[in-house]
């Protein structure tokens, strides 16, 4: 467990960014731990909901994927299939889910989300489709400015994720963004979500622990 002064710092920073998010019409809250974040996320998901998700380590790390695979929900489980065509079909089905789960590549202190996608399925659901989107944001995703948030997403999150998915990209080989146009590039869509419309559709749970990349 983090030292008390670190936890206090995380709480202060988290509470400030929650205020900024609310000023932009997101529903937002701060949870000190992964366990608290899981319970908060589940409170946003009515029983019987159809639930989908994008590729998200953060969602998995708080136990939310396993929770929505339970009998009280209808999970669109893209992770349960290996056939590429079937996975694509399920990813498209997620765009009409009741609830969509995702992380974020970065979050500015002023309350703007920054997300980068390879195929665009995750940012498509964020922008339009599901009636409710739940974003899990570890404290490590916070950046002081929008410019720093974009830089974080491109220079840190993308190279790490590229190493997981597309090891032939320049950033996966060097650790640094090469601003590439390679076939395996995962930086094809860069989306900044500066306001939530309709208000409250996007719920952002800021977590006082490091999650994802």
């Amino acid at each position: 467990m983090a030292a008390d002064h670190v936890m206090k710092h995380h709480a202060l920073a988290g509470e400030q960014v929650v205020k900024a998010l609310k000023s932009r019409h997101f529903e937002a809250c701060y949870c000190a731990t992964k366990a608290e974040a899981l319970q908060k996320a589940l409170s946003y998901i009515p029983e019987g909901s159809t639930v989908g998700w994008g590729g998200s380590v953060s969602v998995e790390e708080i136990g939310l994927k396993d929770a929505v695979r339970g009998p009280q929900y209808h999970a669109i489980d893209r992770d349960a299939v290996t056939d590429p065509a079937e996975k694509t079909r399920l990813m498209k089905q997620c765009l009409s889910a009741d609830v969509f789960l995702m992380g974020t590549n970065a979050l500015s202190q002023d309350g703007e989300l920054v997300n980068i996608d390879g195929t665009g399925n995750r940012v498509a659901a964020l922008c339009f489709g599901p009636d409710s989107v739940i974003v899990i944001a570890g404290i490590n995703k916070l950046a002081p400015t929008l410019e720093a948030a974009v830089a974080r997403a491109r220079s840190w999150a993308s190279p790490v994720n590229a190493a997981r998915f597309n090891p032939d990209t320049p950033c996966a080989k060097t650790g640094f963004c090469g601003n590439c146009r390679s076939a395996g590039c995962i930086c094809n869509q860069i989306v900044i979500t500066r306001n939530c419309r309709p208000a409250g559709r996007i719920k952002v749970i800021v977590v006082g622990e490091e999650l994802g990349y």
Side-chain angles (χ1 to χ4, degrees):
M1 182 177 291
D4 287 348
H5 62 279
V6 174
M7 294 175 67
K8 287 180 180 178
H9 169 269
H10 290 348
L12 286 170
E15 287 162 6
Q16 288 301 309
V17 78
V18 163
K19 288 180 183 177
L21 286 160
K22 288 180 176 179
S23 76
R24 296 177 179 276
H25 315 295
F26 296 92
E27 186 164 341
C29 66
Y30 176 78
C31 292
T33 67
K34 290 182 280 190
E36 289 177 25
L38 173 59
Q39 293 308 310
K40 187 63 178 180
L42 290 174
S43 76
Y44 289 138
I45 309 174
E47 288 194 13
S49 295
T50 301
V51 185
W53 54 80
S56 172
V57 173
S58 299
V59 170
E60 191 162 356
E61 286 180 338
I62 70 167
L64 187 51
K65 282 186 186 179
D66 286 340
V68 299
R69 288 180 174 121
Q72 62 269 53
Y73 308 106
H74 303 288
I76 304 172
D77 195 348
R78 49 173 272 175
D79 301 329
V81 300
T82 55
D83 177 66
E86 176 64 7
K87 181 166 284 193
T88 297
R89 186 187 71 80
L90 291 177
M91 288 161 68
K92 290 181 178 179
Q93 190 177 336
C94 286
L95 299 179
S96 58
D98 298 317
V99 181
F100 187 80
L101 313 174
M102 60 180 286
T104 188
N105 296 129
L107 170 59
S108 78
Q109 184 178 321
D110 196 34
E112 295 179 272
L113 304 175
V114 177
N115 284 284
I116 294 179
D117 256 12
T119 60
N121 63 294
R122 188 173 60 107
V123 294
L126 173 65
C127 294
F128 186 79
D131 290 335
S132 180
V133 177
I134 301 172
V135 178
I136 308 299
I139 200 71
N140 52 310
K141 302 299 181 70
L142 299 190
T145 64
L146 177 59
E147 292 75 16
V150 173
R152 184 197 188 281
R154 297 207 68 184
S155 65
W156 172 250
S158 292
V160 173
N161 281 310
R164 289 198 298 148
F165 299 125
N166 297 299
D168 290 333
T169 60
C171 66
K173 295 176 180 178
T174 68
F176 295 96
C177 177
N179 201 33
C180 75
R181 301 179 186 179
S182 66
C185 177
I186 66 167
C187 299
N188 297 319
Q189 292 85 24
I190 302 175
V191 172
I192 296 168
T193 308
R194 59 179 302 274
N195 287 311
C196 177
R197 179 179 174 184
R201 174 180 170 265
I202 301 172
K203 290 91 173 162
V204 183
I205 302 174
V206 181
V207 186
E209 297 188 47
E210 293 197 4
L211 296 171
Y213 308 118

